Amino acid sequence: MLALRGIEKAYPLAGGTLPVLKGIDLNIEQGEMVAIMGSSGSGKSTLLNVLGLLDGFDSGGYDLDGVDMSGLSEKQAARYRSLFLGFVFQSFNLISFKTAVENVALPLFYQKVPRRERQKRAMEMLGKMGMDDRADHLPSELSGGQKQRVAIARALITEPRVILADEPTGALDSSTSQDVVSVLREVNGSGITVIIVTHEADIAAKCDRTIRLHDGVIIEDGRSGDVVEPTANGAGSTD
Amino acid sequence: MMGLDRDRLIELVQVVVRNPLRAFLSALGVGWGLFMIIITVGAARGLENGVKADMGNDVANSMFAWTMSTSIPYKGYQRGRGLELDIDDVRWLEANTQHLDLVCPEIQLGGWQGTNNVIHGKQSGAFDVSGAIAQYQKAKPMNITSGRFLNQADLDAVRKVCVIGSRVQDILFEFGENPLGETVQIQGVLFRVVGVYTPKGNDEDAQNEAESIYIPFTTFGKAFNTRDRVGWLSMLIKDGVDAEEAEEATKQLIKSRLSVHPDDPRAIGCWTMAEEFQKAELLFSGMRLISLLFGSLALLAGVIGITNIMLISIKERTKELGIRRSLGATPVRILCQIIGETLFLTFLAGLCGLVLGVGLLEAVDGYLEGGGDAGVFRHPEIDFGTVLTVLCILLGMAIFAGILPAIRALAIKPVEALRAEG
């Protein structure tokens, strides 16, 4: 489903460049639930952005559903994001002046789905998230957990093949975090690939597979239970 | 794809109303600019209408000619020869001119602006008395308020009939008395009133016209012993003919008819209304242009304000734009959204300025129609063509205002936008 071959990425700095990803090789199959862990600056968020076509790469190759993603234009990248990918962010990234149902329906707007159809599907999706009674609330009127449920509903509305979640529980308490992971687990149960960037070991433990990055290199990749616990200075840190 | 459907409209409204004070303040400049254009162009038009209404007694293509005395000896005639036109000269001129549509002979009792004592019953007054032909109204328009103007039958039958001005009626007749069929006495000759008119326009010439009496040209010659003599000619220049050219050609024709040296500068007097209209038109065109120019500059200032606000808005909304990009918005959609927001805001503001401006013009017009006094100012208005021009200018400026913020928005990478605060 997702295949990275020797991905390298560096950020320009005054007087040089800062390598962030150093030859990442990675295959993620359809239906997997993968956690990406690593210490601050390890490149895990950059990796997620590359996978999500939000950021480019300097060299290497990336196949999404068998299609080479190298050298995509912004328009093409937007189209692939719209068709294949759903995003869940740590800070929810809901649009503040839109209601829950309008936020959920927004990706369908960019797919040119008619308004009535968008509304119907958004309400159904909110219902699945147990949020239908909050459909007309603005994000400011929702709790953190509710916001993340709305964000997940928004990510799922286009029926993507892959959900990319960047620290989805980072802004939530532990109880709500478990709740959100359960929702993502259910999503994964329906065959959707879920990739979570997290620094929380218990969240990673709920995934099928854990990939650990260090200094732009994959240092571990295995079943979640087999990957060793992060070091003290790596745990709890974020990119 | 780029059309403004309901969904996009809702999006635009949501974005604009979420910061209503800012939207209002940024829109104020554009609204004010458009308001100023409408008001200044409308006021210029009001002034133009007022002046033209004052000139309403005259027809734009009218021309007048009269004879004086020669200043150059010619064909055995000495200089200083007094010249006169008669009805045969008029017919000859009609037959030979290529520049005129109408040649009306006219003669006034007592000469140019000479007044005469006119009596009706116990009332009397001093008025202009002129001999004219049936077509005279074409050269000097007037409103017949009762009865009729002179007709060809009056001239052919040499009838002692007259058409009187409204002031003549007011002075010679009692209030409510119908003058039609009544007689007035001019230099001992009785004339039956067949019509009453009010002059067009408000200027001094129109006031004089209201104190005039017209009788058939043929009757005039017999009643006052002027026979076929013509005092002056009132003429209409053909459409599309240059007034100066017509004036020169007509003067040359009359000179040749009366054996006057072609270069004699004094023998024939001539005056064209067209030149006056052209001067006035030039002045008003200039005023319209200046109004439009200064209004557009005010509008430009407003549009620059909107550009500035949009640039600030883009900076503040970086994260929102990043979210939209991550949800599948293409760069073109973002471009359209930003330009759309600018257009929406600009047009909304422009529309408010337009409605307020037109509303104010209508209110002033209503006040003036209701008898309000504004001197030489009448019916301020703005025509559809000008509104369309202003809207095109507004559209161009709005697109201009939106492009820079849109380019700024597009330059932000999705990943950078998502990292932004907000």
Side-chain angles (χ1 to χ4, degrees):
Chain A
M1 179 66 201
L2 299 155
L4 301 181
R5 299 181 307 277
I7 290 290
E8 297 200 359
K9 167 93 181 159
Y11 289 118
L13 287 178
T17 57
L18 174 68
V20 182
L21 299 177
K22 302 171 183 170
I24 300 287
D25 291 303
L26 179 64
N27 277 297
I28 298 174
E29 299 302 326
Q30 182 69 45
E32 273 193 288
M33 186 159 174
V34 181
I36 300 174
M37 299 188 75
S39 57
S40 177
S42 63
K44 56 186 188 299
S45 285
T46 301
L47 178 60
L48 196 79
N49 289 333
V50 169
L51 288 170
L53 303 174
L54 292 170
D55 207 354
F57 48 89
D58 300 330
S59 61
Y62 173 23
D63 290 348
L64 173 60
D65 199 35
V67 180
D68 184 9
M69 298 286 114
S70 308
L72 286 184
S73 68
E74 257 307 315
K75 184 180 176 183
Q76 289 168 321
R79 184 168 169 271
Y80 278 106
R81 281 197 295 269
S82 179
L83 291 175
F84 284 92
L85 308 172
F87 294 89
V88 179
F89 302 97
Q90 179 180 0
S91 53
F92 323 119
N93 283 351
L94 299 176
I95 294 180
S96 61
F97 57 90
K98 287 184 176 290
T99 62
V101 69
E102 286 172 340
N103 266 290
V104 174
L106 193 57
L108 297 179
F109 173 68
Y110 294 121
Q111 288 187 352
K112 298 170 191 165
V113 175
R115 182 176 175 77
R116 199 178 295 269
E117 173 74 8
R118 289 202 312 261
Q119 191 78 6
K120 180 171 162 278
R121 282 169 61 180
M123 282 306 295
E124 284 172 5
M125 193 54 72
L126 280 173
K128 284 181 188 171
M129 294 292 142
M131 288 293 295
D132 42 348
D133 59 334
R134 296 282 189 274
D136 294 325
H137 287 233
L138 291 171
S140 58
E141 298 164 341
L142 302 174
S143 69
Q146 288 171 330
K147 284 180 194 171
Q148 201 57 295
R149 280 172 178 269
V150 172
I152 293 170
R154 183 180 65 184
L156 292 172
I157 190 78
T158 55
E159 297 172 357
R161 305 273 293 277
V162 182
I163 291 285
L164 298 159
D166 191 0
E167 305 273 9
T169 58
L172 305 175
D173 60 54
S174 62
S175 162
T176 312
S177 296
Q178 293 305 319
D179 191 29
V180 166
V181 173
S182 299
V183 171
L184 290 173
R185 190 78 248 188
E186 280 175 38
V187 168
N188 176 245
S190 65
I192 296 171
T193 306
V194 176
I195 302 170
I196 304 173
V197 165
T198 183
H199 62 273
E200 296 173 58
D202 52 342
I203 300 297
K206 296 264 172 63
C207 299
D208 306 323
R209 178 179 165 192
T210 298
I211 295 164
R212 186 175 300 282
L213 283 177
H214 179 69
D215 198 19
V217 177
I218 295 176
I219 53 170
E220 283 186 273
D221 182 357
R223 286 169 53 84
S224 288
D226 298 340
V227 173
V228 294
E229 287 293 310
T231 57
N233 61 351
S237 63
T238 59
D239 278 356
Chain B
M1 179 188 162
M2 315 291 260
L4 185 64
D5 56 25
R6 184 169 173 237
D7 290 335
R8 287 199 179 89
L9 194 62
I10 290 170
E11 277 272 304
L12 293 177
V13 172
Q14 278 184 333
V15 169
V16 171
V17 301
R18 93 187 147 124
N19 200 333
L21 181 65
R22 175 188 288 178
F24 170 75
L25 289 175
S26 53
L28 193 64
V30 169
W32 177 251
L34 208 81
F35 177 79
M36 288 303 292
I37 288 183
I38 300 295
I39 291 299
T40 50
V41 172
R45 181 56 63 90
L47 197 61
E48 181 180 347
N49 287 340
V51 172
K52 281 188 174 172
D54 281 352
M55 295 166 79
N57 201 32
D58 304 299
V59 177
N61 62 336
S62 60
M63 181 166 75
F64 303 88
W66 57 95
T67 52
M68 294 180 285
S69 55
T70 59
S71 60
I72 300 175
Y74 189 59
K75 288 186 177 175
Y77 293 108
Q78 297 295 313
R79 67 192 292 268
R81 174 170 58 108
L83 299 171
E84 274 191 1
L85 285 167
D86 63 25
I87 200 73
D88 287 339
D89 298 326
V90 174
R91 287 184 191 128
W92 182 87
L93 183 62
E94 273 181 323
N96 289 280
T97 183
Q98 294 178 340
H99 299 84
L100 305 174
D101 262 341
L102 179 70
V103 182
C104 291
E106 194 176 349
I107 186 164
Q108 193 167 335
L109 198 56
W112 167 243
Q113 292 191 331
T115 56
N116 302 273
N117 196 41
V118 181
I119 303 166
H120 169 69
K122 292 178 181 176
Q123 307 295 326
S124 66
F127 306 112
D128 291 349
V129 177
S130 298
I133 63 171
Q135 292 87 349
Y136 180 75
Q137 267 189 298
K138 290 181 184 172
K140 203 87 171 172
M142 54 183 69
N143 299 315
I144 300 294
T145 53
S146 63
R148 63 175 175 80
F149 191 67
L150 305 171
N151 60 28
Q152 193 56 44
D154 296 330
L155 282 115
D156 292 344
V158 198
R159 289 174 183 157
K160 289 177 184 169
V161 293
C162 67
V163 181
I164 61 173
S166 52
R167 280 287 296 156
V168 178
Q169 180 189 8
D170 293 342
I171 292 168
L172 295 185
F173 295 88
E174 297 293 333
F175 181 74
E177 184 183 0
N178 184 4
L180 295 184
E182 297 290 323
T183 56
V184 294
Q185 193 184 104
I186 307 167
Q187 289 199 356
V189 183
L190 293 174
F191 290 87
R192 184 167 52 86
V193 178
V194 294
V196 181
Y197 70 90
T198 54
K200 290 189 173 176
N202 296 312
D203 58 356
E204 193 181 343
D205 195 26
Q207 301 298 323
N208 289 337
E209 276 291 312
E211 296 181 3
S212 294
I213 297 172
Y214 288 94
I215 64 176
F217 184 82
T218 50
T219 313
F220 189 102
K222 279 202 164 62
F224 304 119
N225 201 30
T226 56
R227 297 185 300 280
D228 289 338
R229 187 154 60 83
V230 172
W232 65 87
L233 301 174
S234 299
M235 297 164 283
L236 287 184
I237 301 168
K238 282 183 178 172
D239 285 343
V241 174
D242 179 68
E244 276 186 48
E245 182 190 331
E247 180 182 341
E248 189 53 34
T250 303
K251 280 164 80 171
Q252 287 305 330
L253 271 177
I254 296 172
K255 283 177 183 175
S256 72
R257 173 75 176 172
L258 301 181
S259 298
V260 174
H261 192 285
D263 298 331
D264 193 324
R266 208 177 65 186
I268 310 297
C270 203
W271 185 83
T272 61
M273 195 64 207
E275 280 181 37
E276 300 303 310
F277 269 87
Q278 279 169 4
K279 281 180 200 166
E281 191 56 43
L282 199 66
L283 176 71
F284 291 124
S285 297
M287 281 173 65
R288 277 199 297 272
L289 194 68
I290 287 170
S291 308
L292 208 58
L293 182 69
F294 279 90
S296 298
L297 288 176
L299 193 61
L300 182 64
V303 168
I304 289 171
I306 284 198
T307 305
N308 196 25
I309 291 291
M310 287 302 293
L311 282 171
I312 295 169
S313 170
I314 295 303
K315 192 168 174 60
E316 287 180 358
R317 290 167 56 199
T318 300
K319 183 143 196 167
E320 177 205 320
L321 295 173
I323 295 167
R324 288 177 186 273
R325 295 278 284 270
S326 74
L327 298 179
T330 59
V332 172
R333 289 295 289 258
I334 297 291
L335 186 86
C336 290
Q337 182 179 342
I338 302 302
I339 291 180
E341 285 170 21
T342 316
L343 273 174
F344 179 74
L345 196 60
T346 309
F347 252 83
L348 198 67
L351 200 64
C352 289
L354 184 74
V355 169
L356 282 175
V358 171
L360 185 62
L361 288 182
E362 286 293 316
V364 171
D365 192 30
Y367 167 75
L368 295 177
E369 289 289 313
D373 182 21
V376 61
F377 192 79
R378 178 174 296 193
H379 192 43
E381 60 181 351
I382 185 151
D383 59 69
F384 183 69
T386 308
V387 170
L388 212 60
T389 306
V390 168
L391 288 178
C392 286
I393 292 172
L394 186 67
L395 179 70
M397 286 185 174
I399 291 174
F400 168 76
I403 281 178
L404 194 60
I407 290 172
R408 182 72 62 86
L410 282 186
I412 304 167
K413 289 182 179 174
V415 67
E416 290 167 3
L418 285 166
R419 281 194 201 120
E421 290 298 318

